[in-house]
PDB file of all heavy atoms in Angstrom:
ATOM      1  N   ALA I 160    -153.811 -19.206   8.610  1.00  0.00           N
ATOM      2  CA  ALA I 160    -154.914 -18.331   9.003  1.00  0.00           C
ATOM      3  C   ALA I 160    -155.828 -19.016  10.020  1.00  0.00           C
ATOM      4  O   ALA I 160    -156.421 -18.369  10.873  1.00  0.00           O
ATOM      5  CB  ALA I 160    -155.721 -17.924   7.769  1.00  0.00           C
ATOM      6  N   LYS I 161    -155.928 -20.359   9.932  1.00  0.00           N
ATOM      7  CA  LYS I 161    -156.816 -21.095  10.827  1.00  0.00           C
ATOM      8  C   LYS I 161    -156.081 -21.687  12.027  1.00  0.00           C
ATOM      9  O   LYS I 161    -156.640 -21.804  13.101  1.00  0.00           O
ATOM     10  CB  LYS I 161    -157.494 -22.230  10.050  1.00  0.00           C
ATOM     11  CG  LYS I 161    -158.425 -21.771   8.944  1.00  0.00           C
ATOM     12  CD  LYS I 161    -159.059 -22.968   8.261  1.00  0.00           C
ATOM     13  CE  LYS I 161    -160.006 -22.546   7.139  1.00  0.00           C
ATOM     14  NZ  LYS I 161    -160.605 -23.717   6.459  1.00  0.00           N
ATOM     15  N   PHE I 162    -154.822 -22.074  11.822  1.00  0.00           N
ATOM     16  CA  PHE I 162    -154.103 -22.821  12.848  1.00  0.00           C
ATOM     17  C   PHE I 162    -152.820 -22.097  13.236  1.00  0.00           C
ATOM     18  O   PHE I 162    -152.332 -21.224  12.533  1.00  0.00           O
ATOM     19  CB  PHE I 162    -153.769 -24.226  12.340  1.00  0.00           C
ATOM     20  CG  PHE I 162    -154.927 -24.948  11.735  1.00  0.00           C
ATOM     21  CD1 PHE I 162    -154.831 -25.514  10.473  1.00  0.00           C
ATOM     22  CD2 PHE I 162    -156.133 -25.066  12.418  1.00  0.00           C
ATOM     23  CE1 PHE I 162    -155.902 -26.189   9.911  1.00  0.00           C
ATOM     24  CE2 PHE I 162    -157.199 -25.739  11.865  1.00  0.00           C
ATOM     25  CZ  PHE I 162    -157.092 -26.297  10.609  1.00  0.00           C
ATOM     26  N   ARG I 163    -152.283 -22.494  14.367  1.00  0.00           N
ATOM     27  CA  ARG I 163    -151.014 -21.939  14.817  1.00  0.00           C
ATOM     28  C   ARG I 163    -149.900 -22.261  13.826  1.00  0.00           C
ATOM     29  O   ARG I 163    -149.799 -23.370  13.323  1.00  0.00           O
ATOM     30  CB  ARG I 163    -150.647 -22.499  16.189  1.00  0.00           C
ATOM     31  CG  ARG I 163    -151.463 -21.944  17.315  1.00  0.00           C
ATOM     32  CD  ARG I 163    -150.991 -22.516  18.643  1.00  0.00           C
ATOM     33  NE  ARG I 163    -149.551 -22.415  18.809  1.00  0.00           N
ATOM     34  CZ  ARG I 163    -148.951 -22.509  19.989  1.00  0.00           C
ATOM     35  NH1 ARG I 163    -149.673 -22.695  21.077  1.00  0.00           N
ATOM     36  NH2 ARG I 163    -147.651 -22.420  20.081  1.00  0.00           N
ATOM     37  N   ARG I 164    -149.062 -21.290  13.587  1.00  0.00           N
ATOM     38  CA  ARG I 164    -147.994 -21.448  12.601  1.00  0.00           C
ATOM     39  C   ARG I 164    -146.963 -22.490  13.045  1.00  0.00           C
ATOM     40  O   ARG I 164    -146.428 -23.234  12.226  1.00  0.00           O
ATOM     41  CB  ARG I 164    -147.302 -20.106  12.376  1.00  0.00           C
ATOM     42  CG  ARG I 164    -146.157 -20.141  11.382  1.00  0.00           C
ATOM     43  CD  ARG I 164    -145.516 -18.778  11.252  1.00  0.00           C
ATOM     44  NE  ARG I 164    -146.456 -17.806  10.733  1.00  0.00           N
ATOM     45  CZ  ARG I 164    -146.623 -17.559   9.439  1.00  0.00           C
ATOM     46  NH1 ARG I 164    -145.909 -18.218   8.546  1.00  0.00           N
ATOM     47  NH2 ARG I 164    -147.495 -16.658   9.037  1.00  0.00           N
ATOM     48  N   ASP I 165    -146.685 -22.546  14.341  1.00  0.00           N
ATOM     49  CA  ASP I 165    -145.582 -23.369  14.829  1.00  0.00           C
ATOM     50  C   ASP I 165    -146.030 -24.710  15.406  1.00  0.00           C
ATOM     51  O   ASP I 165    -145.256 -25.412  16.037  1.00  0.00           O
ATOM     52  CB  ASP I 165    -144.782 -22.612  15.890  1.00  0.00           C
ATOM     53  CG  ASP I 165    -145.638 -22.282  17.113  1.00  0.00           C
ATOM     54  OD1 ASP I 165    -146.883 -22.374  17.013  1.00  0.00           O
ATOM     55  OD2 ASP I 165    -145.064 -21.938  18.161  1.00  0.00           O
ATOM     56  N   ARG I 166    -147.292 -25.073  15.190  1.00  0.00           N
ATOM     57  CA  ARG I 166    -147.790 -26.315  15.769  1.00  0.00           C
ATOM     58  C   ARG I 166    -148.804 -26.960  14.837  1.00  0.00           C
ATOM     59  O   ARG I 166    -149.734 -26.307  14.373  1.00  0.00           O
ATOM     60  CB  ARG I 166    -148.430 -26.027  17.125  1.00  0.00           C
ATOM     61  CG  ARG I 166    -148.948 -27.249  17.845  1.00  0.00           C
ATOM     62  CD  ARG I 166    -149.546 -26.837  19.176  1.00  0.00           C
ATOM     63  NE  ARG I 166    -150.174 -27.953  19.863  1.00  0.00           N
ATOM     64  CZ  ARG I 166    -150.878 -27.853  20.971  1.00  0.00           C
ATOM     65  NH1 ARG I 166    -151.050 -26.667  21.527  1.00  0.00           N
ATOM     66  NH2 ARG I 166    -151.420 -28.899  21.542  1.00  0.00           N
ATOM     67  N   ASN I 167    -148.613 -28.240  14.544  1.00  0.00           N
ATOM     68  CA  ASN I 167    -149.528 -28.958  13.662  1.00  0.00           C
ATOM     69  C   ASN I 167    -149.984 -30.241  14.345  1.00  0.00           C
ATOM     70  O   ASN I 167    -149.237 -31.212  14.447  1.00  0.00           O
ATOM     71  CB  ASN I 167    -148.833 -29.287  12.333  1.00  0.00           C
ATOM     72  CG  ASN I 167    -149.802 -29.851  11.311  1.00  0.00           C
ATOM     73  OD1 ASN I 167    -150.872 -30.322  11.644  1.00  0.00           O
ATOM     74  ND2 ASN I 167    -149.411 -29.808  10.047  1.00  0.00           N
ATOM     75  N   THR I 168    -151.209 -30.226  14.835  1.00  0.00           N
ATOM     76  CA  THR I 168    -151.790 -31.405  15.476  1.00  0.00           C
ATOM     77  C   THR I 168    -152.867 -32.031  14.586  1.00  0.00           C
ATOM     78  O   THR I 168    -153.675 -32.831  15.060  1.00  0.00           O
ATOM     79  CB  THR I 168    -152.409 -31.033  16.827  1.00  0.00           C
ATOM     80  OG1 THR I 168    -153.418 -30.042  16.626  1.00  0.00           O
ATOM     81  CG2 THR I 168    -151.356 -30.487  17.779  1.00  0.00           C
ATOM     82  N   TYR I 169    -152.865 -31.682  13.311  1.00  0.00           N
ATOM     83  CA  TYR I 169    -153.922 -32.120  12.391  1.00  0.00           C
ATOM     84  C   TYR I 169    -153.365 -33.178  11.453  1.00  0.00           C
ATOM     85  O   TYR I 169    -152.795 -32.880  10.418  1.00  0.00           O
ATOM     86  CB  TYR I 169    -154.491 -30.911  11.646  1.00  0.00           C
ATOM     87  CG  TYR I 169    -154.836 -29.808  12.603  1.00  0.00           C
ATOM     88  CD1 TYR I 169    -154.172 -28.585  12.578  1.00  0.00           C
ATOM     89  CD2 TYR I 169    -155.792 -30.015  13.588  1.00  0.00           C
ATOM     90  CE1 TYR I 169    -154.467 -27.594  13.492  1.00  0.00           C
ATOM     91  CE2 TYR I 169    -156.099 -29.031  14.514  1.00  0.00           C
ATOM     92  CZ  TYR I 169    -155.431 -27.818  14.462  1.00  0.00           C
ATOM     93  OH  TYR I 169    -155.725 -26.846  15.376  1.00  0.00           O
ATOM     94  N   TRP I 170    -153.545 -34.422  11.872  1.00  0.00           N
ATOM     95  CA  TRP I 170    -152.925 -35.551  11.210  1.00  0.00           C
ATOM     96  C   TRP I 170    -153.971 -36.454  10.576  1.00  0.00           C
ATOM     97  O   TRP I 170    -155.167 -36.374  10.851  1.00  0.00           O
ATOM     98  CB  TRP I 170    -152.118 -36.369  12.220  1.00  0.00           C
ATOM     99  CG  TRP I 170    -152.795 -36.544  13.551  1.00  0.00           C
ATOM    100  CD1 TRP I 170    -152.582 -35.817  14.680  1.00  0.00           C
ATOM    101  CD2 TRP I 170    -153.839 -37.476  13.869  1.00  0.00           C
ATOM    102  NE1 TRP I 170    -153.407 -36.259  15.695  1.00  0.00           N
ATOM    103  CE2 TRP I 170    -154.181 -37.275  15.232  1.00  0.00           C
ATOM    104  CE3 TRP I 170    -154.487 -38.479  13.152  1.00  0.00           C
ATOM    105  CZ2 TRP I 170    -155.162 -38.032  15.871  1.00  0.00           C
ATOM    106  CZ3 TRP I 170    -155.472 -39.234  13.781  1.00  0.00           C
ATOM    107  CH2 TRP I 170    -155.790 -39.002  15.126  1.00  0.00           C
ATOM    108  N   THR I 171    -153.488 -37.339   9.727  1.00  0.00           N
ATOM    109  CA  THR I 171    -154.282 -38.452   9.208  1.00  0.00           C
ATOM    110  C   THR I 171    -153.606 -39.743   9.644  1.00  0.00           C
ATOM    111  O   THR I 171    -152.395 -39.890   9.491  1.00  0.00           O
ATOM    112  CB  THR I 171    -154.367 -38.419   7.674  1.00  0.00           C
ATOM    113  OG1 THR I 171    -155.005 -37.212   7.258  1.00  0.00           O
ATOM    114  CG2 THR I 171    -155.156 -39.610   7.147  1.00  0.00           C
ATOM    115  N   GLY I 172    -154.366 -40.671  10.214  1.00  0.00           N
ATOM    116  CA  GLY I 172    -153.833 -41.951  10.641  1.00  0.00           C
ATOM    117  C   GLY I 172    -154.386 -43.076   9.794  1.00  0.00           C
ATOM    118  O   GLY I 172    -155.571 -43.091   9.460  1.00  0.00           O
ATOM    119  N   ILE I 173    -153.539 -44.018   9.431  1.00  0.00           N
ATOM    120  CA  ILE I 173    -153.937 -45.169   8.619  1.00  0.00           C
ATOM    121  C   ILE I 173    -153.703 -46.429   9.438  1.00  0.00           C
ATOM    122  O   ILE I 173    -152.574 -46.704   9.853  1.00  0.00           O
ATOM    123  CB  ILE I 173    -153.136 -45.238   7.305  1.00  0.00           C
ATOM    124  CG1 ILE I 173    -153.335 -43.956   6.491  1.00  0.00           C
ATOM    125  CG2 ILE I 173    -153.539 -46.459   6.488  1.00  0.00           C
ATOM    126  CD1 ILE I 173    -152.388 -43.836   5.317  1.00  0.00           C
ATOM    127  N   LYS I 174    -154.753 -47.188   9.688  1.00  0.00           N
ATOM    128  CA  LYS I 174    -154.643 -48.430  10.452  1.00  0.00           C
ATOM    129  C   LYS I 174    -154.693 -49.610   9.491  1.00  0.00           C
ATOM    130  O   LYS I 174    -155.730 -49.958   8.961  1.00  0.00           O
ATOM    131  CB  LYS I 174    -155.783 -48.522  11.464  1.00  0.00           C
ATOM    132  CG  LYS I 174    -155.813 -49.840  12.252  1.00  0.00           C
ATOM    133  CD  LYS I 174    -154.638 -49.943  13.215  1.00  0.00           C
ATOM    134  CE  LYS I 174    -154.860 -51.074  14.218  1.00  0.00           C
ATOM    135  NZ  LYS I 174    -154.856 -52.408  13.596  1.00  0.00           N
ATOM    136  N   ALA I 175    -153.527 -50.220   9.270  1.00  0.00           N
ATOM    137  CA  ALA I 175    -153.469 -51.367   8.366  1.00  0.00           C
ATOM    138  C   ALA I 175    -152.592 -52.482   8.919  1.00  0.00           C
ATOM    139  O   ALA I 175    -152.451 -53.515   8.291  1.00  0.00           O
ATOM    140  CB  ALA I 175    -152.945 -50.938   6.992  1.00  0.00           C
ATOM    141  N   HIS I 176    -151.993 -52.263  10.094  1.00  0.00           N
ATOM    142  CA  HIS I 176    -151.130 -53.260  10.716  1.00  0.00           C
ATOM    143  C   HIS I 176    -151.725 -53.706  12.048  1.00  0.00           C
ATOM    144  O   HIS I 176    -152.532 -52.998  12.655  1.00  0.00           O
ATOM    145  CB  HIS I 176    -149.728 -52.685  10.949  1.00  0.00           C
ATOM    146  CG  HIS I 176    -148.939 -52.483   9.703  1.00  0.00           C
ATOM    147  ND1 HIS I 176    -148.091 -53.430   9.177  1.00  0.00           N
ATOM    148  CD2 HIS I 176    -148.862 -51.407   8.864  1.00  0.00           C
ATOM    149  CE1 HIS I 176    -147.525 -52.961   8.077  1.00  0.00           C
ATOM    150  NE2 HIS I 176    -147.974 -51.739   7.861  1.00  0.00           N
ATOM    151  N   ASN I 177    -151.289 -54.874  12.499  1.00  0.00           N
ATOM    152  CA  ASN I 177    -151.701 -55.394  13.807  1.00  0.00           C
ATOM    153  C   ASN I 177    -150.533 -55.430  14.780  1.00  0.00           C
ATOM    154  O   ASN I 177    -150.550 -56.193  15.751  1.00  0.00           O
ATOM    155  CB  ASN I 177    -152.297 -56.791  13.646  1.00  0.00           C
ATOM    156  CG  ASN I 177    -153.582 -56.787  12.846  1.00  0.00           C
ATOM    157  OD1 ASN I 177    -154.440 -55.935  13.052  1.00  0.00           O
ATOM    158  ND2 ASN I 177    -153.712 -57.712  11.916  1.00  0.00           N
ATOM    159  N   ALA I 178    -149.523 -54.632  14.525  1.00  0.00           N
ATOM    160  CA  ALA I 178    -148.349 -54.546  15.397  1.00  0.00           C
ATOM    161  C   ALA I 178    -147.787 -53.132  15.285  1.00  0.00           C
ATOM    162  O   ALA I 178    -148.228 -52.330  14.448  1.00  0.00           O
ATOM    163  CB  ALA I 178    -147.303 -55.587  14.996  1.00  0.00           C
ATOM    164  N   VAL I 179    -146.817 -52.815  16.129  1.00  0.00           N
ATOM    165  CA  VAL I 179    -146.156 -51.513  16.078  1.00  0.00           C
ATOM    166  C   VAL I 179    -145.624 -51.258  14.670  1.00  0.00           C
ATOM    167  O   VAL I 179    -144.957 -52.114  14.093  1.00  0.00           O
ATOM    168  CB  VAL I 179    -144.993 -51.463  17.089  1.00  0.00           C
ATOM    169  CG1 VAL I 179    -144.177 -50.193  16.918  1.00  0.00           C
ATOM    170  CG2 VAL I 179    -145.522 -51.570  18.507  1.00  0.00           C
ATOM    171  N   VAL I 180    -145.944 -50.102  14.106  1.00  0.00           N
ATOM    172  CA  VAL I 180    -145.415 -49.736  12.784  1.00  0.00           C
ATOM    173  C   VAL I 180    -144.029 -49.136  13.001  1.00  0.00           C
ATOM    174  O   VAL I 180    -143.882 -47.987  13.411  1.00  0.00           O
ATOM    175  CB  VAL I 180    -146.339 -48.746  12.051  1.00  0.00           C
ATOM    176  CG1 VAL I 180    -145.772 -48.417  10.664  1.00  0.00           C
ATOM    177  CG2 VAL I 180    -147.741 -49.339  11.915  1.00  0.00           C
ATOM    178  N   THR I 181    -143.011 -49.930  12.754  1.00  0.00           N
ATOM    179  CA  THR I 181    -141.633 -49.550  13.063  1.00  0.00           C
ATOM    180  C   THR I 181    -141.021 -48.627  12.028  1.00  0.00           C
ATOM    181  O   THR I 181    -140.064 -47.904  12.318  1.00  0.00           O
ATOM    182  CB  THR I 181    -140.764 -50.801  13.190  1.00  0.00           C
ATOM    183  OG1 THR I 181    -140.935 -51.612  12.006  1.00  0.00           O
ATOM    184  CG2 THR I 181    -141.167 -51.616  14.414  1.00  0.00           C
ATOM    185  N   SER I 182    -141.561 -48.631  10.802  1.00  0.00           N
ATOM    186  CA  SER I 182    -141.011 -47.786   9.744  1.00  0.00           C
ATOM    187  C   SER I 182    -142.088 -47.493   8.708  1.00  0.00           C
ATOM    188  O   SER I 182    -142.906 -48.355   8.393  1.00  0.00           O
ATOM    189  CB  SER I 182    -139.814 -48.485   9.072  1.00  0.00           C
ATOM    190  OG  SER I 182    -139.244 -47.684   8.063  1.00  0.00           O
ATOM    191  N   ALA I 183    -142.083 -46.269   8.197  1.00  0.00           N
ATOM    192  CA  ALA I 183    -143.004 -45.879   7.129  1.00  0.00           C
ATOM    193  C   ALA I 183    -142.322 -44.817   6.275  1.00  0.00           C
ATOM    194  O   ALA I 183    -141.758 -43.858   6.817  1.00  0.00           O
ATOM    195  CB  ALA I 183    -144.319 -45.347   7.696  1.00  0.00           C
ATOM    196  N   VAL I 184    -142.359 -44.994   4.958  1.00  0.00           N
ATOM    197  CA  VAL I 184    -141.679 -44.075   4.040  1.00  0.00           C
ATOM    198  C   VAL I 184    -142.521 -43.847   2.802  1.00  0.00           C
ATOM    199  O   VAL I 184    -143.370 -44.671   2.449  1.00  0.00           O
ATOM    200  CB  VAL I 184    -140.290 -44.616   3.617  1.00  0.00           C
ATOM    201  CG1 VAL I 184    -139.345 -44.698   4.799  1.00  0.00           C
ATOM    202  CG2 VAL I 184    -140.415 -45.969   2.919  1.00  0.00           C
TER     203      VAL I 184
END
C-alpha cells in the first residue's frame, strides 16, 4: 500500500566489518 510492489529499496545495513563482506547468511 505504501511502496511499489516490484521494487524494494528499503533496507537495513549493519556495519561490523572493516573489509568487504564477502558472505553473509
Side-chain angles (χ1 to χ4, degrees):
K161 295 181 180 179
F162 311 128
R163 287 182 50 162
R164 179 181 297 270
D165 62 345
R166 182 180 175 187
N167 188 341
T168 59
Y169 311 115
W170 41 262
T171 299
I173 301 169
K174 176 69 166 67
H176 289 268
N177 295 316
V179 172
V180 181
T181 53
S182 181
V184 295

